[in-house]
Amino acid sequence: SSDLSSQWPGAIVCSQTLHTFAAMGISRDSRHKHYKTGGRSNASIKKRKYEMGRPATLCKLGAKRVRSVRCRGGNMKYRALRLDAGNYAWGSENVTKKVRILDVVYNASSNELVRTKTLLKNTIIQIDAQPFKQWYLKKFGLDLGKKKKGGDKKEEAAEEAEKMSRHVVFKQK
């Protein structure tokens, strides 16, 4: 009996049968709420399966790990436990690219979420901007992030001599 209770902490062993106390489930019902007048409503029925909720899954920064969860009607939801890339938009340029997430920088809710690199809505993150740079170079012909040097006029002439189709030339005007 002692080895059973060591395997299952929080369990009570009673004559070699194992009894565990299940934690209270997450319910999305509204029967437990007060009336507008402040009175308590009478809970006349038990919890129902369709009112079931599940605990939040906090997605962390790391190699992609997604778990599927069966839902009502046999439908599937996909819980991201860890992610290393995402679909991010450059709002002013109206372009969206799939990019790598490098680091979690700031979260208004808690500094612990930054320390543990938890990805949530409205979290400020650092991304790899290379796909956006490539898009900008293709569309506007300008290489973002490169510092210009004052006396290098030979390089400018070489860049101007680069062959471009008429379509690209007119697109960049």
Side-chain angles (χ1 to χ4, degrees), residues 140-167:
F140 298 109
L142 294 172
D143 203 359
L144 288 179
K146 265 197 176 172
K147 305 226 177 192
K148 290 184 180 178
K149 297 189 179 178
D152 295 338
K153 299 200 176 188
K154 293 178 185 176
E155 287 184 30
E156 286 180 28
E159 286 182 68
E160 287 178 24
E162 185 182 328
K163 277 195 169 183
M164 287 189 267
S165 66
R166 286 186 72 225
H167 174 76

Side-chain angles (χ1 to χ4, degrees), residues 30-49:
S30 58
R31 289 189 310 277
H32 68 282
K33 295 186 176 180
H34 290 256
Y35 295 125
K36 285 182 181 176
T37 56
R40 295 292 302 268
S41 63
N42 187 14
S44 56
I45 62 171
K46 292 180 178 179
K47 292 180 179 180
R48 300 292 193 232
K49 172 82 172 172

